[in-house]
Amino acid sequence: MRLTRGISSRSSMFVVSTFSSTTATSSDGGEVMTLSHAQRLALSLEKLGPTYVKFGQALGSRPDVVPPSLAAALSTLQDDMEPFDNDVAKEIILAELLFREANGKDPLSLSSASGMMVGVDGEKKEEAMLKDVEALVSSLTDEPVAAASIGQVYKAYIPGKGDVAVKVQRPGVRLLVERDAELLLTVA
């Protein structure tokens, strides 16, 4: 019951934002622009969350089913969504890498093996891994290269290994998807 009420408010937000006025202000509050119905639909799906974005992505990949203007607007849901805060992303990345290190794994291992550093003693190994983690986090690009429904991607550098892409999951996305899946199962 509680889940349905929460989703209902999200659904009414969808209805309101899809059929409300055709003007929007930029995130800095300055520029006013006119949005098409297709752009408003894509924006509404983005606001509803990752499950709805996935529906929009699937629909947008079918230009044989939807008008070209709608397919083009929905294509922005692939990798051109509003990014979440970069400081939060860096905190998530740092926490994940430090968690891996605390559990005895090389946090920057590029292989599926254990990633343990061979020939380095305990404290030196921890210092080396921490130094590499700090170097990676400090080398992250200021802005994400791409932002999508589940996460966003940054360019970074791993000492001794080169340039890498670092993908970070949006905070709270797992819970949102689980709730949406529960709702869809209830409705089905």
Side-chain angles (χ1 to χ4, degrees), residues 87-184:
D87 292 332
V88 171
K90 289 179 181 184
E91 288 174 18
I92 292 169
I93 293 167
L94 185 60
E96 176 67 24
L97 294 175
L98 292 177
F99 175 79
R100 284 180 53 91
E101 178 190 15
N103 287 301
K105 297 179 181 174
D106 180 354
L108 304 179
S109 172
L110 298 177
S111 69
S112 59
S114 70
M116 298 298 289
M117 296 176 75
V118 179
V120 180
D121 294 331
E123 252 181 71
K124 289 181 182 178
K125 179 177 76 171
E126 284 183 31
E127 287 176 24
M129 283 194 279
L130 185 57
K131 184 178 175 184
D132 285 350
V133 166
E134 289 172 349
L136 172 91
V137 172
S138 67
S139 75
L140 288 167
T141 53
D142 292 334
E143 297 294 321
V145 175
S149 60
I150 303 295
Q152 54 197 40
V153 180
Y154 292 87
K155 281 180 67 174
Y157 179 80
I158 296 178
K161 296 183 180 170
D163 292 328
V164 294
V166 178
K167 188 171 186 178
V168 58
Q169 195 174 77
R170 288 181 179 273
V173 73
R174 181 180 303 250
L175 180 61
L176 281 174
V177 170
E178 287 172 357
R179 285 183 181 169
D180 289 345
E182 192 175 316
L183 174 68
L184 291 172

XYZ file of all heavy atoms in Angstrom, residues 87-184:
728
model
N 31.016 15.591 -6.795
C 31.614 15.281 -5.484
C 31.040 13.992 -4.916
O 31.761 13.187 -4.332
C 31.406 16.443 -4.511
C 32.200 17.679 -4.903
O 33.270 17.522 -5.554
O 31.765 18.799 -4.579
N 29.741 13.789 -5.095
C 29.100 12.552 -4.645
C 29.672 11.369 -5.424
O 29.986 10.324 -4.847
C 27.564 12.635 -4.812
C 26.905 11.295 -4.548
C 26.992 13.710 -3.902
N 29.831 11.534 -6.727
C 30.394 10.463 -7.560
C 31.799 10.095 -7.087
O 32.136 8.908 -6.956
C 30.426 10.887 -9.023
N 32.620 11.103 -6.813
C 33.985 10.829 -6.351
C 33.995 10.139 -4.992
O 34.802 9.246 -4.750
C 34.802 12.125 -6.319
C 35.120 12.625 -7.720
C 35.898 13.923 -7.707
C 36.158 14.384 -9.144
N 36.966 15.571 -9.228
N 33.072 10.512 -4.113
C 32.970 9.845 -2.809
C 32.596 8.375 -2.981
O 33.130 7.509 -2.289
C 31.937 10.550 -1.926
C 32.397 11.893 -1.403
C 31.288 12.646 -0.655
O 30.290 12.015 -0.245
O 31.442 13.864 -0.502
N 31.663 8.091 -3.893
C 31.241 6.712 -4.153
C 32.415 5.905 -4.700
O 32.672 4.776 -4.259
C 30.049 6.672 -5.124
C 28.811 7.264 -4.455
C 29.777 5.252 -5.614
C 27.646 7.507 -5.406
N 33.133 6.473 -5.650
C 34.283 5.777 -6.245
C 35.336 5.495 -5.182
O 35.827 4.375 -5.060
C 34.877 6.610 -7.407
C 33.886 6.677 -8.569
C 36.213 6.033 -7.868
C 34.224 7.723 -9.624
N 35.662 6.496 -4.393
C 36.671 6.335 -3.343
C 36.236 5.278 -2.334
O 37.026 4.400 -1.969
C 36.933 7.676 -2.652
C 38.048 7.700 -1.612
C 39.387 7.307 -2.233
C 38.154 9.077 -0.978
N 34.987 5.326 -1.890
C 34.489 4.353 -0.918
C 34.552 2.938 -1.478
O 34.962 2.002 -0.778
C 33.062 4.703 -0.505
N 34.168 2.762 -2.732
C 34.192 1.430 -3.349
C 35.621 0.903 -3.459
O 35.890 -0.256 -3.150
C 33.534 1.476 -4.731
C 33.597 0.185 -5.498
C 32.769 -0.942 -4.893
O 31.810 -0.657 -4.160
O 33.095 -2.120 -5.170
N 36.538 1.752 -3.894
C 37.922 1.308 -4.044
C 38.558 1.016 -2.694
O 39.309 0.047 -2.548
C 38.731 2.346 -4.819
C 38.318 2.528 -6.283
C 39.102 3.663 -6.919
C 38.493 1.241 -7.067
N 38.273 1.820 -1.699
C 38.817 1.570 -0.354
C 38.207 0.315 0.251
O 38.871 -0.419 0.989
C 38.606 2.780 0.554
C 39.415 4.017 0.166
C 39.078 5.191 1.080
C 40.909 3.736 0.172
N 36.936 0.029 -0.056
C 36.292 -1.197 0.408
C 36.995 -2.418 -0.186
O 37.270 -3.383 0.498
C 34.814 -1.199 0.033
C 34.113 -2.490 0.371
C 33.707 -2.748 1.667
C 33.871 -3.439 -0.611
C 33.063 -3.934 1.991
C 33.238 -4.629 -0.304
C 32.826 -4.885 1.003
N 37.291 -2.347 -1.475
C 38.007 -3.457 -2.126
C 39.365 -3.664 -1.472
O 39.784 -4.784 -1.208
C 38.186 -3.193 -3.626
C 36.925 -3.396 -4.433
C 37.171 -3.123 -5.913
N 38.273 -3.872 -6.462
C 38.186 -5.070 -7.038
N 37.031 -5.653 -7.132
N 39.250 -5.676 -7.519
N 40.056 -2.552 -1.213
C 41.383 -2.639 -0.598
C 41.277 -3.252 0.792
O 42.072 -4.119 1.164
C 42.020 -1.254 -0.507
C 43.382 -1.285 0.172
C 43.921 0.096 0.483
O 43.157 1.067 0.440
O 45.107 0.170 0.784
N 40.286 -2.852 1.573
C 40.109 -3.362 2.933
C 39.815 -4.855 2.933
O 40.082 -5.547 3.914
C 38.985 -2.602 3.635
N 39.287 -5.362 1.836
C 38.982 -6.789 1.730
C 40.086 -7.570 1.033
O 39.854 -8.672 0.540
C 37.643 -6.980 1.022
C 36.498 -6.596 1.919
O 36.339 -7.155 2.998
N 35.724 -5.615 1.507
N 41.287 -6.979 0.973
C 42.448 -7.691 0.465
C 42.545 -7.798 -1.039
O 43.281 -8.633 -1.547
N 41.817 -6.986 -1.759
C 41.876 -7.021 -3.221
C 42.546 -5.750 -3.713
O 42.393 -4.696 -3.119
C 40.479 -7.122 -3.817
C 39.763 -8.389 -3.434
C 38.379 -8.410 -4.026
C 37.668 -9.684 -3.612
N 36.289 -9.689 -4.047
N 43.250 -5.861 -4.804
C 43.831 -4.677 -5.430
C 42.679 -3.882 -6.019
O 41.999 -4.347 -6.933
C 44.827 -5.084 -6.518
C 45.464 -3.896 -7.217
O 45.064 -2.751 -6.942
O 46.364 -4.111 -8.043
N 42.397 -2.696 -5.496
C 41.240 -1.943 -5.968
C 41.322 -1.517 -7.423
O 40.315 -1.199 -8.031
C 41.200 -0.723 -5.042
C 42.574 -0.596 -4.501
C 43.146 -1.983 -4.476
N 42.506 -1.522 -7.990
C 42.666 -1.071 -9.371
C 43.019 -2.213 -10.318
O 43.490 -1.988 -11.418
C 43.721 0.040 -9.451
C 43.436 1.244 -8.550
C 44.530 2.277 -8.683
C 42.096 1.849 -8.851
N 42.770 -3.434 -9.867
C 43.051 -4.598 -10.697
C 42.144 -4.576 -11.921
O 40.946 -4.363 -11.822
C 42.798 -5.878 -9.907
O 42.892 -6.990 -10.753
N 42.729 -4.802 -13.079
C 41.955 -4.827 -14.319
C 41.561 -6.242 -14.704
O 40.908 -6.466 -15.702
C 42.753 -4.196 -15.459
C 43.110 -2.726 -15.256
C 43.951 -2.217 -16.411
C 41.872 -1.881 -15.091
N 41.959 -7.231 -13.905
C 41.626 -8.612 -14.230
C 40.591 -9.135 -13.249
O 40.327 -8.542 -12.218
C 42.880 -9.495 -14.162
O 43.304 -9.604 -12.806
N 40.030 -10.295 -13.568
C 39.044 -10.894 -12.679
C 39.717 -11.741 -11.601
O 39.060 -12.266 -10.734
C 38.068 -11.754 -13.484
O 38.785 -12.766 -14.153
N 41.041 -11.884 -11.673
C 41.767 -12.633 -10.649
C 41.743 -11.858 -9.342
O 41.203 -10.760 -9.252
C 43.207 -12.864 -11.100
N 42.356 -12.414 -8.321
C 42.291 -11.786 -7.002
C 42.912 -10.404 -6.996
O 42.568 -9.570 -6.179
C 42.988 -12.673 -5.965
O 44.387 -12.674 -6.193
N 43.852 -10.146 -7.880
C 44.432 -8.810 -7.975
C 45.453 -8.516 -6.902
O 45.838 -7.372 -6.720
N 45.870 -9.512 -6.160
C 46.837 -9.277 -5.089
C 48.188 -8.893 -5.684
O 48.595 -9.418 -6.708
C 47.005 -10.548 -4.234
C 45.715 -10.978 -3.534
S 45.099 -9.762 -2.389
C 46.307 -9.898 -1.097
N 48.844 -7.959 -5.040
C 50.158 -7.531 -5.496
C 51.192 -8.550 -5.018
O 51.240 -8.874 -3.839
C 50.477 -6.138 -4.957
C 49.541 -5.072 -5.491
S 49.864 -3.464 -4.771
C 51.347 -3.001 -5.637
N 51.987 -9.059 -5.921
C 52.975 -10.088 -5.596
C 54.311 -9.434 -5.278
O 54.724 -8.483 -5.919
C 53.133 -11.066 -6.795
C 54.162 -12.123 -6.484
C 51.796 -11.679 -7.141
N 54.980 -9.945 -4.256
C 56.330 -9.487 -3.937
C 56.377 -8.195 -3.142
O 57.420 -7.586 -3.025
N 55.242 -7.760 -2.596
C 55.230 -6.546 -1.794
C 54.701 -6.916 -0.416
O 53.689 -7.585 -0.291
C 54.323 -5.467 -2.439
C 54.315 -4.207 -1.608
C 54.776 -5.172 -3.859
N 55.399 -6.487 0.638
C 54.991 -6.809 1.999
C 53.766 -6.016 2.409
O 53.481 -4.945 1.857
C 56.141 -6.552 2.971
C 57.311 -7.503 2.725
O 57.046 -8.628 2.254
O 58.460 -7.110 2.992
N 53.029 -6.513 3.429
C 51.773 -5.979 3.917
C 51.611 -4.471 3.930
O 50.791 -3.924 3.213
N 52.364 -3.775 4.792
C 52.206 -2.326 4.917
C 52.571 -1.594 3.640
O 51.890 -0.645 3.238
C 53.076 -1.802 6.070
C 52.258 -1.378 7.261
C 53.134 -0.851 8.375
O 53.685 0.257 8.207
O 53.254 -1.553 9.384
N 53.626 -2.024 2.986
C 54.037 -1.385 1.730
C 52.964 -1.577 0.662
O 52.696 -0.669 -0.128
C 55.377 -1.944 1.252
C 56.551 -1.508 2.102
C 57.837 -2.074 1.554
C 59.007 -1.675 2.456
N 60.260 -2.235 1.982
N 52.371 -2.759 0.648
C 51.310 -3.041 -0.319
C 50.127 -2.097 -0.087
O 49.595 -1.506 -1.027
C 50.855 -4.495 -0.201
C 49.728 -4.861 -1.150
C 49.346 -6.311 -1.060
C 48.539 -6.518 0.203
N 47.934 -7.837 0.283
N 49.707 -1.952 1.172
C 48.582 -1.068 1.495
C 48.896 0.380 1.110
O 48.049 1.069 0.556
C 48.250 -1.145 2.984
C 47.515 -2.400 3.364
C 47.138 -2.415 4.833
O 46.894 -1.328 5.404
O 47.084 -3.510 5.400
N 50.104 0.826 1.396
C 50.504 2.194 1.046
C 50.479 2.398 -0.464
O 50.011 3.431 -0.952
C 51.893 2.507 1.591
C 51.941 2.715 3.089
C 53.361 2.929 3.600
O 54.231 3.373 2.807
O 53.605 2.640 4.779
N 51.002 1.398 -1.194
C 51.040 1.496 -2.660
C 49.620 1.531 -3.232
O 49.321 2.327 -4.134
C 51.827 0.331 -3.250
N 48.735 0.678 -2.700
C 47.354 0.652 -3.195
C 46.639 1.958 -2.875
O 45.931 2.516 -3.712
C 46.589 -0.538 -2.607
C 46.926 -1.855 -3.272
S 45.758 -3.167 -2.875
C 46.366 -3.678 -1.275
N 46.825 2.472 -1.667
C 46.189 3.730 -1.274
C 46.680 4.882 -2.150
O 45.891 5.712 -2.595
C 46.443 4.025 0.205
C 45.736 5.244 0.771
C 44.227 5.141 0.570
C 46.058 5.421 2.236
N 47.969 4.882 -2.440
C 48.546 5.917 -3.299
C 47.928 5.842 -4.707
O 47.589 6.868 -5.301
C 50.067 5.742 -3.361
C 50.785 6.812 -4.137
C 52.281 6.582 -4.102
C 53.003 7.577 -4.985
N 54.442 7.327 -5.055
N 47.778 4.619 -5.228
C 47.179 4.440 -6.552
C 45.711 4.878 -6.566
O 45.244 5.492 -7.529
C 47.290 2.984 -7.010
C 48.694 2.615 -7.457
O 49.541 3.526 -7.587
O 48.937 1.412 -7.665
N 44.979 4.557 -5.497
C 43.574 4.955 -5.404
C 43.465 6.478 -5.386
O 42.654 7.073 -6.099
C 42.898 4.341 -4.152
C 41.558 5.006 -3.859
C 42.726 2.842 -4.329
N 44.291 7.118 -4.573
C 44.274 8.581 -4.498
C 44.633 9.206 -5.843
O 44.036 10.192 -6.267
C 45.217 9.069 -3.403
C 44.718 8.770 -2.003
C 45.750 9.070 -0.916
O 46.939 9.314 -1.243
O 45.361 9.042 0.258
N 45.604 8.599 -6.548
C 45.996 9.110 -7.869
C 44.846 8.969 -8.864
O 44.578 9.887 -9.651
C 47.235 8.367 -8.377
N 44.161 7.835 -8.826
C 43.034 7.620 -9.728
C 41.935 8.649 -9.456
O 41.456 9.306 -10.383
C 42.457 6.214 -9.558
C 41.148 6.007 -10.330
C 41.432 5.477 -11.714
C 40.209 5.121 -9.582
N 41.534 8.802 -8.201
C 40.448 9.718 -7.862
C 40.824 11.157 -8.216
O 40.007 11.908 -8.748
C 40.047 9.576 -6.373
C 39.053 10.654 -5.971
C 39.461 8.196 -6.109
N 42.065 11.537 -7.980
C 42.466 12.911 -8.306
C 42.574 13.134 -9.818
O 42.509 14.266 -10.283
C 43.783 13.276 -7.615
O 44.840 12.518 -8.136
N 42.725 12.051 -10.586
C 42.837 12.197 -12.041
C 41.485 12.172 -12.754
O 41.421 12.364 -13.966
C 43.729 11.096 -12.624
O 43.042 9.852 -12.650
N 40.394 11.935 -12.018
C 39.072 11.904 -12.647
C 38.779 13.235 -13.329
O 39.101 14.294 -12.800
C 37.982 11.631 -11.606
C 37.922 10.224 -11.037
C 37.016 10.193 -9.814
C 37.447 9.233 -12.083
N 38.144 13.161 -14.492
C 37.754 14.393 -15.180
C 36.771 15.175 -14.312
O 36.062 14.590 -13.486
C 37.100 14.067 -16.542
O 36.034 13.133 -16.339
C 38.107 13.513 -17.526
N 36.757 16.495 -14.485
C 35.879 17.342 -13.679
C 34.404 17.054 -13.933
O 33.584 17.141 -13.027
C 36.157 18.822 -13.953
C 37.523 19.244 -13.436
O 38.026 18.610 -12.482
O 38.090 20.208 -13.989
N 34.066 16.735 -15.147
C 32.689 16.435 -15.531
C 32.644 15.026 -16.120
O 33.612 14.569 -16.722
C 32.190 17.432 -16.583
C 32.131 18.867 -16.094
C 31.102 19.075 -14.994
O 30.010 18.475 -15.076
O 31.391 19.835 -14.050
N 31.511 14.328 -15.986
C 31.424 12.991 -16.584
C 31.471 13.058 -18.107
O 31.021 14.041 -18.705
C 30.071 12.468 -16.097
C 29.301 13.656 -15.670
C 30.291 14.708 -15.288
N 32.020 12.028 -18.706
C 32.055 11.910 -20.160
C 30.646 11.617 -20.673
O 30.243 12.098 -21.733
C 33.036 10.784 -20.583
C 33.005 10.565 -22.079
C 34.429 11.094 -20.090
N 29.897 10.829 -19.903
C 28.514 10.494 -20.248
C 27.738 10.274 -18.959
O 28.307 9.860 -17.953
C 28.474 9.235 -21.107
N 26.445 10.564 -19.005
C 25.564 10.318 -17.866
C 24.314 9.626 -18.394
O 23.698 10.098 -19.344
C 25.200 11.625 -17.173
N 23.985 8.493 -17.789
C 22.822 7.721 -18.225
C 21.938 7.399 -17.026
O 22.148 7.914 -15.935
C 23.297 6.449 -18.937
N 20.960 6.515 -17.227
C 19.958 6.249 -16.199
C 20.520 5.551 -14.969
O 20.080 5.807 -13.854
C 18.828 5.406 -16.784
O 19.334 4.168 -17.254
N 21.470 4.687 -15.143
C 22.001 3.901 -14.035
C 23.246 4.541 -13.435
O 23.525 4.399 -12.251
C 22.331 2.451 -14.497
C 21.084 1.792 -15.087
C 22.911 1.627 -13.382
C 19.957 1.574 -14.106
N 24.032 5.233 -14.222
C 25.260 5.826 -13.710
C 25.864 6.810 -14.683
O 25.233 7.219 -15.652
N 27.091 7.178 -14.381
C 27.826 8.074 -15.276
C 29.266 7.612 -15.360
O 29.740 6.848 -14.525
C 27.694 9.525 -14.842
C 28.061 9.851 -13.435
C 27.495 11.200 -13.007
O 26.375 11.561 -13.337
N 28.272 11.942 -12.255
N 29.954 8.093 -16.402
C 31.299 7.627 -16.713
C 32.275 8.798 -16.702
O 31.974 9.869 -17.238
C 31.333 6.939 -18.103
C 32.740 6.454 -18.434
C 30.338 5.796 -18.153
N 33.442 8.555 -16.090
C 34.525 9.540 -16.048
C 35.761 8.941 -16.694
O 35.938 7.721 -16.705
C 34.883 9.883 -14.597
C 33.814 10.627 -13.861
C 32.803 9.956 -13.193
C 33.811 12.009 -13.820
C 31.816 10.635 -12.511
C 32.828 12.708 -13.136
C 31.841 12.010 -12.485
O 30.863 12.695 -11.810
N 36.619 9.802 -17.227
C 37.949 9.378 -17.663
C 38.871 9.554 -16.474
O 38.728 10.482 -15.696
C 38.452 10.240 -18.825
C 37.867 9.852 -20.171
C 38.387 10.728 -21.276
C 39.859 10.507 -21.516
N 40.374 11.241 -22.687
N 39.832 8.645 -16.350
C 40.811 8.727 -15.262
C 42.096 8.061 -15.724
O 42.189 7.537 -16.843
C 40.276 8.058 -14.003
N 43.078 8.062 -14.847
C 44.382 7.477 -15.152
C 44.797 6.587 -13.978
O 44.735 7.003 -12.823
C 45.423 8.587 -15.364
C 46.801 8.056 -15.654
C 47.148 7.609 -16.927
C 47.756 7.982 -14.645
C 48.408 7.110 -17.190
C 49.025 7.483 -14.904
C 49.338 7.045 -16.181
O 50.591 6.535 -16.430
N 45.206 5.358 -14.289
C 45.757 4.461 -13.278
C 47.266 4.410 -13.492
O 47.722 4.026 -14.576
C 45.173 3.033 -13.382
C 43.677 3.046 -13.110
C 45.885 2.097 -12.401
C 43.011 1.687 -13.240
N 48.043 4.814 -12.479
C 49.503 4.785 -12.617
C 49.992 3.385 -13.023
O 49.586 2.380 -12.456
C 49.995 5.152 -11.209
C 48.861 5.908 -10.598
C 47.616 5.296 -11.169
N 50.814 3.364 -14.035
C 51.376 2.104 -14.513
C 50.469 1.325 -15.439
O 50.873 0.307 -15.995
N 49.221 1.751 -15.592
C 48.289 1.017 -16.443
C 47.698 1.884 -17.539
O 47.218 1.379 -18.535
C 47.185 0.386 -15.602
C 47.737 -0.664 -14.653
C 46.665 -1.344 -13.863
C 47.332 -2.366 -12.938
N 46.424 -2.919 -11.979
N 47.644 3.199 -17.335
C 47.174 4.100 -18.376
C 45.783 4.655 -18.145
O 45.234 4.590 -17.044
N 45.215 5.194 -19.236
C 43.888 5.808 -19.175
C 42.809 4.741 -19.041
O 42.905 3.670 -19.649
C 43.624 6.630 -20.440
C 44.512 7.868 -20.513
O 44.841 8.421 -19.448
O 44.874 8.272 -21.633
N 41.793 5.054 -18.258
C 40.674 4.136 -18.042
C 39.368 4.920 -18.002
O 39.362 6.130 -17.823
C 40.821 3.346 -16.716
C 42.014 2.408 -16.754
C 40.892 4.277 -15.525
N 38.281 4.197 -18.166
C 36.948 4.751 -17.954
C 36.461 4.241 -16.604
O 36.608 3.063 -16.293
C 36.001 4.303 -19.059
N 35.907 5.123 -15.797
C 35.401 4.748 -14.482
C 33.904 5.002 -14.481
O 33.455 6.131 -14.642
C 36.081 5.564 -13.359
C 35.503 5.194 -12.004
C 37.586 5.365 -13.388
N 33.142 3.928 -14.301
C 31.691 4.032 -14.285
C 31.223 3.987 -12.834
O 31.632 3.114 -12.074
C 31.070 2.875 -15.073
C 29.594 3.006 -15.279
C 29.102 1.937 -16.241
C 27.639 2.148 -16.558
N 27.161 1.146 -17.519
N 30.370 4.922 -12.465
C 29.870 4.989 -11.091
C 28.346 4.985 -11.119
O 27.719 5.686 -11.910
C 30.427 6.215 -10.329
C 30.084 7.505 -11.025
C 29.953 6.255 -8.896
N 27.771 4.135 -10.269
C 26.322 3.987 -10.203
C 25.689 5.166 -9.480
O 26.222 5.654 -8.484
C 25.999 2.684 -9.466
C 24.588 2.209 -9.611
C 24.407 0.848 -8.972
O 24.322 0.750 -7.759
N 24.384 -0.189 -9.789
N 24.549 5.610 -9.976
C 23.823 6.697 -9.324
C 23.441 6.270 -7.905
O 23.060 5.132 -7.681
C 22.541 7.046 -10.092
C 22.787 7.753 -11.385
C 21.464 8.096 -12.091
N 21.747 8.790 -13.323
C 21.916 10.096 -13.421
N 21.809 10.852 -12.357
N 22.176 10.652 -14.584
N 23.523 7.198 -6.953
C 23.138 6.844 -5.588
C 21.644 6.507 -5.514
O 20.814 7.199 -6.097
C 23.453 8.109 -4.771
C 23.874 9.157 -5.726
C 23.982 8.565 -7.081
N 21.331 5.406 -4.832
C 19.933 5.018 -4.628
C 19.254 4.366 -5.808
O 18.072 4.032 -5.741
N 19.981 4.139 -6.905
C 19.344 3.616 -8.115
C 18.848 2.178 -7.912
O 17.794 1.808 -8.420
C 20.276 3.725 -9.344
C 21.400 2.717 -9.298
C 19.493 3.599 -10.627
N 19.568 1.378 -7.157
C 19.160 -0.015 -6.947
C 17.790 -0.071 -6.251
O 16.911 -0.824 -6.669
C 20.206 -0.759 -6.117
C 19.858 -2.220 -5.892
C 20.914 -2.902 -5.062
N 22.213 -2.780 -5.692
C 22.868 -3.780 -6.250
N 22.363 -4.979 -6.238
N 24.037 -3.593 -6.805
N 17.603 0.736 -5.229
C 16.338 0.758 -4.502
C 15.191 1.221 -5.408
O 14.100 0.645 -5.386
C 16.444 1.663 -3.268
C 15.202 1.776 -2.403
C 14.802 0.417 -1.832
C 15.440 2.759 -1.267
N 15.444 2.247 -6.221
C 14.407 2.726 -7.150
C 13.987 1.637 -8.130
O 12.800 1.429 -8.380
C 14.920 3.933 -7.941
C 14.907 5.270 -7.238
C 15.581 6.327 -8.122
C 13.496 5.688 -6.912
N 14.950 0.924 -8.686
C 14.640 -0.138 -9.658
C 13.871 -1.263 -8.972
O 12.901 -1.792 -9.522
C 15.926 -0.651 -10.342
C 15.649 -1.893 -11.162
C 16.529 0.445 -11.216
N 14.282 -1.621 -7.748
C 13.577 -2.675 -7.019
C 12.126 -2.271 -6.746
O 11.209 -3.074 -6.907
C 14.298 -2.992 -5.707
C 15.595 -3.744 -5.904
C 16.418 -3.885 -4.630
O 16.019 -3.356 -3.565
O 17.478 -4.541 -4.698
N 11.905 -1.028 -6.336
C 10.541 -0.552 -6.069
C 9.711 -0.534 -7.348
O 8.547 -0.938 -7.348
C 10.577 0.850 -5.463
C 10.995 0.854 -4.016
C 10.932 2.254 -3.461
N 11.351 2.281 -2.083
C 11.585 3.386 -1.407
N 11.438 4.564 -1.985
N 11.955 3.328 -0.151
N 10.300 -0.064 -8.439
C 9.571 -0.027 -9.706
C 9.238 -1.442 -10.178
O 8.142 -1.691 -10.678
C 10.377 0.712 -10.771
C 10.441 2.214 -10.521
O 9.653 2.726 -9.714
O 11.307 2.870 -11.137
N 10.165 -2.379 -10.009
C 9.921 -3.770 -10.414
C 8.795 -4.367 -9.575
O 7.915 -5.078 -10.104
C 11.191 -4.597 -10.264
N 8.775 -4.051 -8.280
C 7.707 -4.530 -7.405
C 6.359 -3.970 -7.857
O 5.362 -4.688 -7.907
C 8.012 -4.113 -5.961
C 7.154 -4.776 -4.930
C 7.585 -4.419 -3.521
O 8.793 -4.429 -3.235
O 6.686 -4.134 -2.705
N 6.338 -2.696 -8.208
C 5.106 -2.080 -8.689
C 4.652 -2.729 -9.997
O 3.466 -3.062 -10.155
C 5.293 -0.579 -8.911
C 4.106 0.124 -9.551
C 2.919 0.152 -8.592
C 4.479 1.518 -9.979
N 5.572 -2.955 -10.913
C 5.216 -3.562 -12.202
C 4.688 -4.970 -12.000
O 3.750 -5.392 -12.696
C 6.426 -3.558 -13.141
C 6.848 -2.172 -13.637
C 8.164 -2.267 -14.400
C 5.762 -1.548 -14.496
